[in-house]
Amino acid sequence: MLNFTVGPVMSDDDILSIGSEQVPYFRTPEFSNLMFENERLIKKFSKASEDSRAVFITGSGTASMEAVIMNCFNENDKVLIVNGGSFGHRFVELCQIHHIPYDEILCTTGKTLRKEQLESYDGKKYTGFLVNVHETSTGVHYDMNMISEFCKKNKLFLVVDAISSFLADDFDMENLGVDVMITGSQKALACPPGISIIVLSKNAIGRIESNDCQCMYLNLKSALKNGERGQTPFTPAVGILRQIHKRLNQIEDNGGVETETQKIQSLAEDFREKIKDLPLEIVSDSMSNAVTPLHPLNVSAYDVFMILKDEYNIWVCPNGGELADKIFRVGHIGALTKEDNTTLINALHDLVNRGLL
Ligand SMILES: *Cc1c(COP(=O)(O)O)cnc(C)c1O
């Protein structure tokens, strides 16, 4: 199997072999030390300030999105949500469920957020801003500098879902003034799904401490408290946390986050260069290094996904809903190489020869 989806993605052999080991008991100093190191490296790679914290939630990315909504906001807030696709819409649904007042800024599919759109919300008494920096469903990457400036000016508590962007695109939590950054194990971290991670600024920790969160499993006060001793309130996905530990150390030993981001960027550039003579159109005006969203000019996108999977054992990422026939996406995260890109390109040329692309 050759997997170009946007998660779960391919893991390398070191990570896979940990998956075949026995899962150890975890209320031990050894596991606490592993968790301290996980926290230290996640903070380092997200460029969080020294006084921030990272907590590890057993649950996919959405669990951490929900935890942040429940723990950082209440009915006295009013948040602005950038909604450019299904992940932006997820923040909207979470605010509805948890009774957090909100307004949404709708972005057209494939189009980034423009400065003029933001300006109409200037000086309007919002308290928070929620954005999926890379709206993975459409492959649009928003301009974080522009958003950061707007939030600093309006003193907004800034939450960034960087689940598919972390490690793939440059990100500096402290300089951007980001209060909360969320990521997950199955995107560029290239581990199995099951763990999501929340990095919290000092300001965010203060908000959590003074907020009354009516939830047991996703209570971040208790996650922070337990994290002080390198532990989690309940049994975490121990095996995946061990894989994350290995992966973070690999990245550190290979030159750190910059080297990893460059690797993903060069895979993306290589792919985007190689598709130039194929009947495929890139449908985003501002892309992340993580994904290339493509519109086949002559055939159904969903059919391309199915044929590649069933006849070539190559997995690209289909879109859902009304985009299903229009767009498929090719990911550049996970244990992939330029040779893998060539294998996919050859398969796409073969489809052209067969009249199927
Ligand atoms: C993958 C992803 C999520 C999380 O989805 P889960 O299925 O809950 O892991 C959230 N936001 C974005 C932008 C994502 O790419």
Side-chain angles (χ1 to χ4, degrees):
M1 170 198 216
L2 193 50
N3 181 354
F4 290 91
T5 69
V6 294
V9 300
M10 312 250 285
S11 300
D12 73 22
D13 290 343
D14 288 347
I15 304 298
L16 292 177
S17 76
I18 294 173
S20 71
E21 290 172 12
Q22 298 286 358
V23 176
Y25 179 68
F26 66 103
R27 299 286 188 207
T28 60
E30 289 80 3
F31 188 71
S32 290
N33 286 336
L34 177 146
M35 288 299 283
F36 285 135
E37 203 164 64
N38 280 352
E39 180 172 10
R40 179 177 71 78
L41 289 171
I42 286 286
K43 279 174 58 178
K44 184 171 181 187
F45 296 167
S46 53
K47 306 211 161 70
S49 61
E50 204 42 56
D51 54 9
S52 340
R53 293 281 309 279
V55 295
F56 295 78
I57 303 292
T58 292
S60 78
T62 309
S64 280
M65 291 169 77
E66 185 156 32
V68 168
I69 299 296
M70 293 173 75
N71 285 268
C72 295
F73 298 106
N74 61 43
E75 66 279 3
N76 299 320
D77 282 292
K78 180 147 189 195
V79 301
L80 259 179
I81 305 172
V82 181
N83 180 358
S86 54
F87 293 108
H89 180 69
R90 195 164 298 178
F91 269 141
V92 170
E93 285 185 288
L94 286 166
C95 286
Q96 286 170 349
I97 290 167
H98 297 290
H99 307 292
I100 311 299
Y102 69 91
D103 279 326
E104 53 187 312
I105 313 178
L106 284 163
C107 293
T108 317
T109 302
K111 298 273 185 274
T112 193
L113 175 71
R114 285 172 292 109
K115 201 163 184 180
E116 309 84 80
Q117 279 171 290
L118 267 188
E119 275 164 0
S120 59
Y121 296 92
D122 213 3
K124 292 271 172 69
K125 304 254 174 292
Y126 290 96
T127 59
F129 193 100
L130 311 179
V131 65
N132 321 86
V133 57
H134 175 218
E135 174 52 73
T136 324
S137 65
T138 62
V140 172
H141 186 254
Y142 301 117
D143 180 349
M144 268 319 296
N145 289 321
M146 180 183 81
I147 289 170
S148 159
E149 211 175 290
F150 176 82
C151 290
K152 282 179 182 168
K153 185 171 167 220
N154 286 282
K155 300 197 164 39
L156 303 184
F157 184 84
L158 175 54
V159 173
V160 179
D161 161 2
I163 295 179
S164 64
S165 174
F166 177 65
L167 300 176
D169 304 301
D170 289 335
F171 187 80
D172 187 325
M173 184 160 172
E174 185 171 16
N175 272 336
L176 292 167
V178 172
D179 289 297
V180 179
M181 190 215 71
I182 308 169
T183 191
S185 55
Q186 84 273 27
K187 304 282 169 87
L189 264 176
C191 288
I195 291 284
S196 50
I197 304 163
I198 311 173
V199 186
L200 300 157
S201 72
K202 190 171 176 218
N203 186 28
I205 296 165
R207 248 184 188 253
I208 291 163
E209 298 298 347
S210 61
N211 207 3
D212 182 26
C213 174
Q214 298 294 318
C215 180
M216 188 185 212
Y217 195 76
L218 294 178
N219 190 309
L220 296 183
K221 266 199 251 332
S222 79
L224 284 163
K225 184 90 198 108
N226 280 271
E228 286 170 13
R229 57 185 177 104
Q231 288 288 325
T232 52
F234 313 103
T235 309
V238 176
I240 298 168
L241 287 163
R242 293 178 74 232
Q243 289 169 306
I244 289 174
H245 179 252
K246 179 77 190 175
R247 173 80 169 117
L248 291 171
N249 276 289
Q250 282 177 345
I251 295 171
E252 181 73 342
D253 294 344
N254 291 336
V257 64
E258 281 79 12
T259 311
E260 182 63 23
T261 301
Q262 273 159 23
K263 186 210 142 206
I264 297 170
Q265 183 178 345
S266 89
L267 272 179
E269 285 169 355
D270 174 71
F271 177 77
R272 289 166 193 170
E273 188 57 39
K274 285 174 178 162
I275 55 166
K276 283 202 167 137
D277 53 352
L278 283 161
L280 295 167
E281 182 192 4
I282 291 181
V283 283
S284 163
D285 62 359
S286 164
M287 276 186 288
S288 159
N289 294 319
V291 173
T292 305
L294 293 165
H295 169 58
L297 299 176
N298 311 319
V299 297
S300 151
Y302 196 78
D303 289 348
V304 175
F305 154 71
M306 286 297 282
I307 297 167
L308 285 174
K309 174 170 76 65
D310 294 339
E311 297 179 28
Y312 297 83
N313 202 19
I314 297 175
W315 298 55
V316 295
C317 206
N319 267 56
E322 39 189 72
L323 294 177
D325 282 319
K326 294 204 179 84
I327 299 179
F328 71 86
R329 293 161 294 160
V330 174
H332 311 296
I333 53 182
L336 289 167
T337 63
K338 291 186 181 169
E339 290 68 48
D340 295 330
N341 278 348
T342 302
T343 305
L344 171 57
I345 296 292
N346 289 344
L348 291 168
H349 278 289
D350 199 45
L351 290 186
V352 173
N353 292 338
R354 295 169 63 197
L356 297 171
L357 183 68

